[in-house]
Each structure stands twice: as C-alpha cells, then as structure tokens.
C-alpha cells in the first residue's frame, strides 16, 4: 500500500500487547524530530526517526499514532531519508485503552545489530485548525488555533526528541508552556524564535505507549497564531470526465462548492471597504478574492459559470498541447475570480469546464486492444482541503472490458450506465468517491476499455436517426399548424 487513506475497517488485535512487547526490543530511537507546518485548511507534519537496531535482522518498525491525530490525518507516507521509495505500511491495530493506532513499516532490508537509518514519516492533517476568535470584522486579522499532543509516542525507548511548530508568520498570540517535564529536561520546555516554536529537547524517554505513560506524561499543547492567507475548503467537488472518440475529445467539468473556513464575518460586508483595501493591495486574509489554478496544457472552450450565468472576470493563459508522456510541466493558468469576494463562513458554488484533445491523455495498446485514458482526480487547489469528491468518468458508448486504476483507494466505487442525448445504449460510467483530499492527492486515474468498431458507427447512425426524427417532427408541426389555421 503505497498511499494510504483511512477507510479500512480497523483490526482490533487481541494479540496487540504481546506483539508490541516483542517489538519493543528490536529498535531504539536515537532521535526524533517532528516538524509541524501550520497553515489554514492543511497542516503538514514531518517526523524524522533516527533509529538503531537492537537485534540482528530487525526489519519492521512500529509507528504509534494517537487517535486524535489519526482522525485528522488524511495522508501518511513513510520513506527512508533521501530515498524516493515509499515503504509498505500496514495498520496493525488499535489499543482500546489508550486509543493509539499502530502501523508497521517494512524497511527495504533488515538492519544488522547496531545499524542505523532515518525514517521520514510525512502526514497531512485536515480540519486541524479552527478560527479563534470565531468571528472577525472585515478589517481584522485572521487568527487560528491548533492543538496537538506534545510528545511523539513510540513503543521504543527514545534518547532525545523535539517538536518544532512553524507558524505562517512570527505573529503568535499564545502557546502552551508545558509543566512537569523535569524528568526529561531541566531547561525551558519551549523556546520561540521568529516563526518557530521548539518544544524540547526532551531526553531519555522510556517506551511511551503504555496507559500509565500517556496519562502521567503526555501533555496537550495549543498554539494561537495569525494566518495571513485564507482557509480554503471545498465542501464538495463533483468532476465529470467524458471521453468521446467520435469527437476525439475529453471534456472535464467540475462543480465546486467553495467554503471559506476562516472566522465568520462580524457585522455587514462593506464593498467600499473591500475595494479600498484591495486597491491598496491589503485584501484581508480571511477573504477569498480568487484562486490561481493550474489546468492542463492544450485545453479549449474553457467555461466558467455560476448560478447567475457566465463569469467573465477571470483570466486564462492557455499553454499549447504537450505530447503525451513527455516530462514537460507546462500548464494553462486560470486566475479564477468568484463573482463576489468569499468572506469567512460564506459559500460560493460554480462550474468550471474545458475540452482537450483526446490524444493528449489517451493511448491505444495494440497488444491488448484496449484504450488507456488518464484522468486527473482533481485540479490541485493550493492549500485547500476537499471534504468530499466524486469523480465520474463517462466512457464512450459501447465500451466493454473496462477497468480503472486509481492512484489511491477510493472510499466507494460505482459502475453504472449513463445515457445522454444521442446515445442509444448508454455509456458505462465509473464513479469514485473520496473524502478529505489534500495537495498530496493530485494523482491520476487510469481507465482502460475496449471499443468495438461497431460502437464507433453507432454514433453516426444515432445522429442520422435524430436528424430524420427532427425533420419528421418539423413536418408534423407544419401540418398541425395548417390544420389549426384551416379551422379558423
Ligand atoms: C553494539 O553496541 C553495543 C553498545 O553500544 C556494544 O556493546 C556492542 O558491542 C555492539 N555490537 C556490535 C556487534 O557492534
Ligand atoms: C457563456 O459563455 C459561453 C462561451 O463563452 C457562450 O457560449 C454562452 O452562450 C454564454 N452564456 C451566457 C448565458 O451568456
Ligand atoms: C455554507 O454551506 C454550508 C453547508 O455546506 C451551510 O451549513 C452554511 O450555512 C452555508 N453558509 C452560508 C453563509 O450560507
């Protein structure tokens, strides 16, 4: 399992305790450094474990993640420092008493006695911050709170650990100064330098996943900080990707419900105040004035409308088509402006769509006789969380033997038939559902299918039939028309 979403049923192993007791002797943490990058909708946490094998052939390292942190985590990935391969990760179980979840990471090769390596655990947390105060005036700054547990827990002994919390700006209103840590440090338990808070170093921490340790020694830490960019939440993204061989076209249409997760606006919105602050380039951080999106290269017929109609204030710079499979990082840039500035607590729903030449994302595999089409899960929206996403892929009419390969498991898959105007038998559709997508989830879904030659022919036939139908209808109308006139 390369990429992990927490939608698997939890295994509660009765044998967890003995298993952990056994694991305890295989490693020691010589140092743990956790770095928390605070943001708005997303919080990125990177934890580096410098580990040493205490037994010959130690190959499975156990990670302990507290329940509360686990609930907020929507991305978890383990690598060896400096390497790009993602280590296989298995959820082992949850300790009912402490709530801690255990993951087993398999090292690329077993370590010899006293051998060392560095593991890098990367996670992304969503909805881990909240606005405080919960309401703010239009000109007020935006402040958020974040809470976390102080110590990184481990079933192994830890020689030294620290947690660094980085805030978006040095404006930190308050942060917890933990007490009762004399066992681990005689110095200041926390220091602040610019936009970084450092908790620790805390030394000689015993095996820390027991109920006693968690109750006695674990502390909660709260940081109250200023965030100078908006908390962008997409409550719902509905993407429809329609593949047409007849038109040699891939149409992608996104229905987006945008929500500003910042403090709710106190009082009335003043457009004048907004315009004047925008004029001075000081748009308040809790207003979403727009977003810059990177759309694929080679797109055409871009449309963007909301409940009132077309929105024409956005700017688009399209990049020319890029040959499939080339490593180019070209993209079209859309500066999307909502019809009105989206203030804290406000929503804005809109539809964004485009066409692109099918050859840019489709290939034909002559060995299997199947088409392969690449559909991006979503358009990445910088520092935004997507609470719910539904990606519907509409295959060409008559497609058979289809399969799909998502970049990470969906929470639910559906396969159905989709009937549009001019279709005679409907088109197979694949719908994937996801929750809590982040900037890490911009992967590609590959779909493969076969289209028999006769299916290509059905479309012209359907067009011909429809055309004749309209023609006959027109004739009938004329007849009706004349009959009425005759009656007069
Ligand atoms: C491993 O380290 C321990 C303590 O540092 C030392 O006593 C032991 O001799 C070492 N063993 C090997 C095989 O290096
Ligand atoms: C919206 O824009 C598209 C393309 O620019 C155009 O075809 C369509 O007629 C417009 N619709 C309205 C309601 O203005
Ligand atoms: C925004 O949408 C959410 C539900 O998605 C709703 O609860 C909330 O009231 C909406 N906010 C406003 C200001 O309409």
């Amino acid at each position: 399992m390369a990429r992990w979403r927490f939608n698997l049923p939890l295994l509660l192993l009765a044998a967890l305790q003995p298993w952990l007791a056994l694991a305890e002797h295989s490693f020691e943490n010589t140092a743990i450094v956790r770095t928390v990058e605070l943001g708005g909708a997303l919080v990125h946490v990177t934890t580096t474990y410098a580990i040493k094998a205490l037994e010959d052939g130690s190959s499975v390292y156990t990670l302990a993640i507290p329940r509360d942190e686990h609930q907020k985590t929507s991305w978890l990935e383990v690598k060896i420092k400096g390497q790009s391969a993602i280590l296989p990760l298995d959820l082992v179980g949850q300790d009912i008493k402490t709530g801690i979840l255990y993951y087993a990471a398999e090292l690329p090769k077993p370590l010899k006695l006293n051998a060392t390596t560095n593991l890098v655990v990367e996670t992304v947390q969503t909805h881990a911050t909240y606005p405080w105060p919960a309401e703010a005036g239009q000109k007020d700054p935006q402040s958020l709170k974040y809470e976390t547990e102080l110590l990184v827990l481990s079933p192994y002994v830890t020689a030294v650990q620290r947690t660094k919390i980085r805030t978006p700006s040095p404006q930190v209103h308050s942060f917890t100064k933990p007490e009762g840590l004399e066992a681990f440090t005689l110095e200041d338990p926390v220091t602040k330098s610019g936009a970084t808070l450092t908790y620790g170093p805390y030394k000689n921490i015993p095996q820390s996943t027991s109920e006693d340790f968690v109750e006695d020694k674990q502390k909660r830490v709260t940081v109250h900080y200023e965030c100078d960019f908006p908390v962008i939440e997409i409550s719902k993204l509905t993407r429809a990707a329609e593949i047409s061989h007849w038109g040699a076209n891939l149409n992608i249409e996104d229905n987006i419900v945008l929500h500003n997760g910042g403090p709710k606006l106190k009082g009335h919105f003043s457009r004048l105040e907004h315009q004047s602050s925008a004029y001075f380039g000081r748009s308040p951080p809790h207003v979403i004035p727009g977003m810059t999106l990177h759309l694929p290269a080679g797109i055409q017929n871009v449309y963007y409308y909301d409940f009132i109609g077309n929105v024409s204030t956005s700017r688009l710079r399209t990049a020319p088509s890029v040959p499939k499979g080339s490593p180019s990082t070209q993209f079209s840039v859309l500066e999307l402006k909502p019809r009105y500035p989206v203030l804290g607590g406000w929503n804005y729903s809109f539809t964004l769509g485009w066409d692109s030449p099918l050859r840019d994302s489709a290939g034909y595999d002559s060995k299997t006789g199947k088409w392969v089409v690449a559909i991006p899960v979503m358009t990445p929206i910088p520092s935004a969380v997507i609470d719910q996403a539904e990606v519907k892929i509409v295959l060409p009419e008559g497609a058979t033997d289809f399969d799909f390969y998502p970049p990470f498991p969906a929470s639910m898959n559906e396969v159905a038939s989709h009937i549009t105007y001019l279709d005679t038998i409907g088109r197979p559709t694949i719908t994937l559902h996801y929750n809590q997508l982040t900037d890490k989830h911009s992967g590609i879904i590959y779909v493969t299918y076969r289209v028999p030659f006769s299916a290509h022919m059905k479309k012209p036939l359907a067009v011909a039939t429809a055309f004749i139908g309209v023609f006959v209808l027109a004739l009938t109308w004329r007849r009706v028309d004349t009959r009425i006139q005759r009656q007069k």
Side-chain angles (χ1 to χ4, degrees):
M1 269 300 128
R3 294 171 178 194
W4 208 259
R5 296 280 315 161
F6 306 111
N7 40 39
L8 302 170
L10 283 190
L11 306 168
L12 298 173
L13 290 191
L16 192 59
Q17 286 310 333
W19 185 80
L20 281 174
L22 215 68
E24 209 179 299
H25 304 291
S26 40
F27 292 99
E28 171 191 298
N29 300 309
T30 48
I32 299 177
V33 179
R34 174 172 57 149
T35 306
V36 181
E37 295 277 352
L38 293 183
L42 304 181
V43 172
H44 291 84
V45 184
T46 308
T47 312
T48 305
Y49 296 80
I51 65 173
K52 180 167 131 188
L54 300 183
E55 283 172 347
D56 241 348
S58 299
S59 65
V60 176
Y61 183 88
T62 303
L63 289 171
I65 304 182
R67 177 177 28 210
D68 169 61
E69 192 183 319
H70 193 265
Q71 272 166 0
K72 294 180 205 158
T73 300
S74 71
W75 177 268
L76 168 60
E77 196 177 80
V78 186
K79 292 178 180 173
I80 298 282
K81 191 174 184 175
Q83 296 182 8
S84 58
I86 298 162
L87 303 189
L89 200 59
D90 273 318
L91 179 57
V92 179
Q94 183 175 22
D95 182 333
I96 305 154
K97 284 195 195 133
T98 56
I100 297 171
L101 289 104
Y102 292 96
Y103 282 87
E106 202 182 305
L107 304 185
K109 57 175 195 265
L111 294 184
K112 291 211 171 66
L113 172 64
N114 290 353
T116 61
T117 191
N118 290 305
L119 289 180
V120 180
V121 179
E122 223 184 308
T123 66
V124 183
Q125 301 178 352
T126 59
H127 294 280
T129 68
Y130 55 94
W132 195 261
E135 293 189 351
Q138 201 174 323
K139 279 173 151 173
D140 293 347
Q142 168 179 260
S143 299
L144 307 177
K145 271 192 181 182
Y146 174 77
E147 288 175 29
T148 183
E149 271 157 21
L150 175 64
L151 298 170
V152 178
L153 302 181
S154 177
Y156 312 114
V157 166
T158 302
V160 59
Q161 69 161 265
R162 31 166 89 73
T163 290
K164 291 182 180 182
I165 302 184
R166 295 215 181 103
T167 49
S169 83
Q171 291 297 328
V172 178
H173 304 305
S174 67
F175 53 94
T176 307
K177 297 178 185 74
E179 282 169 12
L181 290 166
E182 294 76 20
F184 309 130
T185 183
L186 295 173
E187 291 160 46
D188 273 350
V190 54
T191 50
K192 179 176 183 294
S193 164
T196 306
L197 297 167
T198 305
Y199 285 89
Y202 306 138
K203 293 180 181 151
N204 304 322
I205 298 169
Q207 190 272 353
S208 55
T209 49
S210 68
E211 202 183 356
D212 285 350
F213 185 95
V214 172
E215 266 179 23
D216 288 357
K217 302 289 192 300
Q218 187 60 293
K219 317 267 178 230
R220 264 189 102 69
V221 164
T222 305
V223 180
H224 186 200
Y225 61 101
E226 218 171 281
C227 183
D228 47 13
F229 51 88
V231 182
I232 301 179
E233 297 172 1
I234 307 294
S235 322
K236 180 127 202 228
L237 162 70
T238 315
R239 163 163 285 196
E242 272 198 49
I243 302 168
S244 161
H245 285 268
W246 173 244
N249 188 49
L250 171 65
N251 171 262
I252 291 194
E253 183 170 298
D254 288 342
N255 267 289
I256 297 173
V257 183
L258 173 70
H259 176 73
N260 184 335
K264 291 202 169 62
L265 176 68
K266 196 158 64 183
H268 288 287
F269 170 58
S270 154
R271 194 165 271 278
L272 176 66
E273 205 170 273
H274 175 72
Q275 289 305 342
S276 76
S277 59
Y279 175 77
F280 290 109
R282 282 189 268 118
S283 198
H286 48 91
V287 174
I288 305 176
M291 296 184 290
T292 300
L293 301 183
H294 289 174
L295 304 181
I299 57 174
Q300 300 147 12
N301 310 326
V302 177
Y303 52 94
Y304 162 34
Y305 62 87
D306 62 12
F307 59 102
I308 296 178
N310 279 344
V311 187
S312 55
T313 49
S314 293
R315 266 190 296 175
L316 175 71
R317 205 174 60 233
T318 49
S321 267
V322 175
K324 178 168 33 78
S326 70
S328 168
T329 49
Q330 294 237 37
F331 38 72
S332 306
V333 179
L334 176 69
E335 280 171 40
L336 183 134
K337 281 215 185 318
R339 189 174 292 276
Y340 51 85
V342 182
L343 280 97
W346 290 15
N347 304 317
Y348 180 64
S349 302
F350 61 96
T351 299
L352 174 64
W354 60 85
D355 289 324
S356 56
L358 187 58
R359 65 182 137 77
D360 286 2
S361 40
Y364 182 72
D365 182 353
S366 54
K367 267 193 228 119
T368 58
K370 281 182 157 192
W371 288 89
V372 183
V373 180
I375 311 284
V377 173
M378 60 174 180
T379 298
I381 300 175
S383 66
V385 56
I386 291 144
D387 290 334
Q388 257 188 66
E390 188 185 302
V391 183
K392 185 163 91 177
I393 301 169
V394 183
L395 300 182
E397 199 186 359
T400 55
D401 293 343
F402 51 87
D403 234 321
F404 55 98
Y405 305 89
F408 36 83
S411 58
M412 192 169 78
N413 303 325
E414 287 170 63
V415 172
S417 185
H418 174 91
I419 309 222
T420 60
Y421 177 62
L422 292 186
D423 278 350
T424 52
I425 54 171
R427 309 186 189 186
T429 66
I430 298 160
T431 309
L432 303 176
H433 297 260
Y434 293 103
N435 297 312
Q436 307 294 313
L437 298 183
T438 69
D439 51 3
K440 290 283 186 185
H441 292 94
S442 54
I444 297 212
I445 305 165
Y446 290 96
V447 289
T448 64
Y449 54 86
R450 218 183 286 281
V451 254
F453 183 67
S454 66
H456 282 304
M457 294 311 290
K458 275 202 187 103
K459 202 74 178 224
L461 265 181
V463 172
T465 318
F467 182 73
I468 292 165
V470 170
F471 187 67
V472 170
L473 204 67
L475 284 181
T476 323
W477 271 336
R478 192 173 294 163
R479 251 179 243 147
V480 171
D481 226 0
T482 35
R483 246 183 261 143
I484 293 168
Q485 280 191 346
R486 233 180 250 161
Q487 277 171 356
K488 270 186 179 175

